[in-house]
DNA sequence: TCCTAGATAGGAATTATTCCTAGTTCCGTT
DNA sequence: AACGGAACTAGGAATAATTCCTATCTAGGA
């Protein structure tokens, strides 16, 4: 799904498409490309301000809230106490592999579906709406770097 | 594992056990009993202040940070923008079922272990350290209540 | 008991997020 | 194409969350 399609859907849903909102969408969309980097409100604000310098934080937060209610945006958290947001495209449900050192994340193409089934059996009266699966650890690059540091330490 | 054992281990690890830290531990420990409610820093502060009214927020945050580094405390997030902390007891690894309405959580006795294996295969050079699996939805109680609201609306 | 590295209180500073209000604008209707 | 109004925005102020600073205190080893 392209950004333009998202815009069309929003308009269909009766959501006013201001330039600010379009920029927020664009920022979220760009964050999804390549390495899949959910962004903080601050990061999104900086991107939006490149084109519209006067945009206020409030606008970004409000827009993110609006999109979140529409199910277009999801909030994720990588245990560093920083809220991040990412676009949810059709069928774009996915999970994250997060490096505890550099904070970068990568999309995981797996879903603990069988686990969900077991959860539903365990709590039949609970209405499951969504789920998150996040794997934490150290990416190859950061492992390499910490190895270097170790070597230096030893060799001195 | 009892709280006392945790204290012993901490002492062994060379961690100074001040009364404040013990109270933070106690609060975290109590949060684990019963319904499994990870607590916010503010909630923990309130509990600690019942016995030591002068304790500062800084102390709670510092203590949580220390415990987190030791692997004794884990930060969890239920997508409401609120950081929560919970004790990690030996073998106490578990996941959460979270109600999006009342915010209450319940411990899940399932672990997406096979998914982890697949992740490791998918990224052999990534060093997996930990993982989180959280299921969001609506608990029976909240579903009942929203049904009531619906009825009222209809019957008027 | 003494000593001191490490911990604390309390207030100030910083950061993140939301509120408020007057003015602006998207977009359906004409 | 212009109009009208509900919805949106900027900007500053308010609030909440978190961390910093420093003088003082203390847990626990010697």
């Amino acid at each position: 799904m392209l950004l333009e399609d998202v815009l069309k859907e929003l308009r269909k849903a009766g959501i006013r498409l201001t330039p600010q909102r379009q920029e927020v969408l664009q920022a979220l969309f760009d964050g999804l490309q390549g390495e899949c980097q959910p962004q903080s409100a601050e990061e999104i604000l900086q991107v939006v301000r490149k084109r519209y310098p006067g945009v206020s934080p409030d606008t970004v937060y409000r827009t993110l809230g609006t999109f979140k209610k529409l199910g277009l945006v999801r909030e994720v958290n990588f245990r560093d106490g920083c809220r991040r947001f990412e676009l949810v495209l059709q069928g774009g449900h996915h999970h994250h592999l997060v490096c505890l050192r550099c904070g970068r994340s990568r999309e995981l193409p797996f879903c603990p579906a069988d686990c969900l089934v077991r959860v539903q059996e365990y709590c039949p009266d609970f209405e499951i709406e969504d789920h998150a699966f996040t794997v934490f650890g150290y990416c190859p690059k950061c492992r390499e770097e910490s190895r270097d540091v170790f070597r230096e330490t030893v060799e001195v």
Side-chain angles (χ1 to χ4, degrees), chain A:
Chain A
M1 183 146 76
L2 296 174
L3 187 56
E4 224 171 292
D5 299 319
V6 178
L7 294 180
K8 267 184 201 160
E9 287 214 6
L10 280 179
R11 199 164 290 147
K12 230 187 279 174
I15 301 299
R16 273 176 61 175
L17 281 183
T18 64
Q20 295 90 333
R21 286 184 172 181
Q22 291 187 43
E23 279 304 306
V24 171
L25 263 183
Q26 183 69 58
L28 287 165
F29 195 76
D30 292 345
L32 213 55
Q33 309 309 105
E35 278 198 48
C36 170
Q37 283 307 318
Q39 294 157 90
S40 67
E42 177 61 26
E43 285 167 339
I44 293 169
L45 179 63
Q46 292 313 322
V47 173
V48 174
R49 280 190 171 164
K50 279 184 193 163
R51 196 180 296 203
Y52 300 101
V55 168
S56 71
D58 194 24
T59 296
V60 170
Y61 281 107
R62 235 182 320 99
T63 302
L64 287 172
T66 303
F67 289 171
K68 211 170 135 184
K69 266 188 206 152
L70 289 169
L72 190 63
V73 159
R74 153 191 331 197
E75 185 173 338
V76 298
N77 174 283
F78 294 161
R79 283 194 191 161
D80 56 357
C82 172
R83 295 167 72 184
R84 291 163 210 264
F85 302 86
E86 72 174 0
L87 206 56
V88 181
L89 295 182
Q90 279 185 337
H93 172 86
H94 64 262
H95 301 293
H96 298 99
L97 184 65
V98 181
C99 178
L100 290 168
R101 193 153 180 247
C102 66
R104 295 202 150 269
S105 70
R106 189 171 164 185
E107 183 175 333
L108 283 179
F110 312 118
C111 202
D114 54 330
C115 237
L116 276 183
V117 174
R118 279 155 74 197
V119 170
Q120 189 66 86
E121 282 167 7
Y122 180 65
C123 304
D125 292 332
F126 191 96
E127 184 184 339
I128 294 179
E129 181 81 16
D130 193 12
H131 66 282
F133 174 55
T134 313
V135 179
F136 299 95
Y138 299 98
C139 71
K141 204 173 167 188
C142 284
R143 287 178 70 191
E144 189 59 46
E145 277 169 22
S146 65
R147 206 170 306 146
D148 291 346
V149 171
F150 182 65
R151 267 200 219 107
E152 281 162 27
T153 312
V154 171
E155 284 171 3
V156 164

